[in-house]
Amino acid sequence: MSFPIIDVSDIDNPESQLRIAQEVTDACKKWGFLLIKGHSIPASSIENMFSLARDFFCLPESQKDGYPITNKSIGYVGSFQDRAKDDKMSMWFGGTPGTLDENLSMLPPFWHQHIQAVEDFKHQCHGLIIRLLECFALSLGLPDRKFFANAHRENVGDGNSLRMLMYPARSEPTPAKDVGSRMAPHTDSGSVTLLFQRAAGLEVLSPAGDEWVKAPHIENCILVNIGDALSFWSGAQLKATLHRVTFDGLPHDQERQTMAYFGSANPETVLQPIVPGRQVEKYYSNGLELEPGVTVGELRHKIMSNIYGAAFTAAA
């Protein structure tokens, strides 16, 4: 099987838009994942974020764990602290532009001097998400190519989040009773995810659903995948695919650093499958059934609370 790798450098060229839109959409119909090259986010911006994240994750745990994730999707989650007890650390930066400045008490002090850099990077990611959403509307034949994009305003809601992740290298494996995996199999809950990688390790369920395929890591490429909200909204035309990171694929003594930007529709967005007359079978997101008419905000709150519990629902 050939994992889809698509050049989107001409995505703003009217003569190339439809072709690129069809290629991106076809990949998301079959795989739910693709690698894009020729994107608009500068390599220098990506490298700067990776460097800052690494410096942060190298700090003593005592300087990080006093800032747990909150209902604004801001805060730190250490290894073994989520529902699945996965061996990974993550730092979340949720909210609209300006939210981080307004909620400094939720952020470890390390980040106070780097807020503008984080905000700038989030803005670049959001711009790319909007272009991809326009591709889907164009390829799916919707009368308004901004049908999805208009529901993803950057200045509304807390759903658009940047998550920095570190899978640490350990000298000894953690006892099995204390750890789940590196990252448990799951689908993302939002619309579109951009994953920046410094090393491979993510495994994706194949289109046939019968084997796990290691997603490639290629320099200057971004791994893109569809979330449950957009899949459900598209009438299951676009595919939200299970993915994971295991200790077989990423042993305990190997480190992996990634960053994920989760693009989500605005909280008041009502999810109704867009395919008229088509009966969408029961659709589940992280164990929760999606019903037509659920709002994006309701779905997000249920899923995040289910994963992070009181650490997410408590306001800082």
Side-chain angles (χ1 to χ4, degrees):
M1 290 179 295
S2 179
F3 194 91
I5 304 171
I6 297 172
D7 188 340
V8 297
S9 55
D10 283 340
I11 197 169
D12 292 325
N13 183 344
E15 296 182 1
S16 306
Q17 283 177 334
L18 181 58
R19 172 184 58 80
I20 292 173
Q22 290 172 334
E23 290 177 359
V24 168
T25 303
D26 287 347
C28 290
K29 286 181 174 181
K30 181 177 181 180
W31 282 85
F33 272 84
L34 69 151
L35 274 172
I36 59 171
K37 59 182 180 180
H39 56 82
S40 57
I41 302 178
S44 58
S45 296
I46 298 170
E47 184 56 34
N48 182 47
M49 286 295 102
F50 270 131
S51 295
L52 288 173
R54 182 171 183 79
D55 289 345
F56 169 72
F57 287 124
C58 287
L59 293 174
E61 205 66 15
S62 61
Q63 297 183 34
K64 298 176 290 187
D65 61 9
Y67 303 86
I69 190 170
T70 71
N71 57 5
K72 293 184 181 293
S73 292
I74 299 173
Y76 174 72
V77 182
S79 287
F80 320 122
Q81 291 182 14
D82 60 13
R83 178 186 57 184
K85 294 185 177 180
D86 289 338
D87 191 5
K88 65 180 186 299
M89 301 176 282
S90 58
M91 181 66 214
W92 288 80
F93 301 94
T96 58
T99 298
L100 299 178
D101 258 329
E102 296 166 0
N103 293 276
L104 289 179
S105 62
M106 298 180 185
L107 288 167
F110 173 90
W111 291 108
H112 292 185
Q113 63 181 317
H114 302 300
I115 288 176
Q116 191 56 54
V118 172
E119 292 280 25
D120 290 345
F121 187 69
K122 287 180 64 180
H123 180 69
Q124 292 171 331
C125 291
H126 187 264
L128 180 54
I129 292 281
I130 293 299
R131 287 182 172 87
L132 293 172
L133 289 168
E134 290 178 355
C135 281
F136 298 137
L138 180 61
S139 183
L140 293 174
L142 300 183
D144 181 2
R145 66 188 304 165
K146 294 187 179 294
F147 176 81
F148 296 125
N150 284 341
H152 290 73
R153 290 167 291 166
E154 189 177 13
N155 62 344
V156 177
D158 297 322
N160 295 314
S161 298
L162 175 65
R163 184 185 186 187
M164 298 175 170
L165 297 109
M166 175 67 82
Y167 300 82
R170 302 186 185 278
S171 57
E172 298 289 339
T174 303
K177 64 181 179 62
D178 297 327
V179 64
S181 64
R182 287 293 206 170
M183 182 173 67
H186 68 287
T187 52
D188 292 346
S189 60
S191 294
V192 183
T193 302
L194 306 178
L195 183 68
F196 304 85
Q197 309 180 86
R198 273 189 161 174
L202 189 75
E203 296 176 356
V204 174
L205 196 62
S206 68
D210 56 357
E211 64 177 307
W212 291 95
V213 178
K214 181 168 281 192
H217 165 57
I218 300 177
E219 196 75 21
N220 297 323
C221 287
I222 301 173
L223 192 62
V224 177
N225 67 282
I226 299 299
D228 287 316
L230 185 59
S231 178
F232 182 70
W233 199 2
S234 74
Q237 296 180 88
L238 304 174
K239 186 177 181 181
T241 301
L242 283 169
H243 48 287
R244 69 182 188 182
V245 181
T246 69
F247 281 107
D248 288 335
L250 185 67
H252 71 272
D253 58 353
Q254 292 184 20
E255 177 186 283
R256 178 171 180 257
Q257 188 180 359
T258 66
M259 298 185 296
Y261 180 83
F262 300 98
S264 180
N266 303 140
E268 74 280 4
T269 304
V270 177
L271 297 178
Q272 294 281 2
I274 62 174
V275 183
R278 178 176 176 180
Q279 180 65 39
V280 178
E281 296 181 1
K282 287 185 180 294
Y283 194 105
Y284 293 88
S285 176
N286 293 276
L288 302 172
E289 184 176 355
L290 272 65
E291 297 280 357
V294 67
T295 68
V296 169
E298 291 167 344
L299 174 62
R300 173 176 168 271
H301 186 268
K302 288 179 181 179
I303 290 174
M304 293 294 283
S305 299
N306 193 32
I307 295 173
Y308 295 110
F312 174 75
T313 57

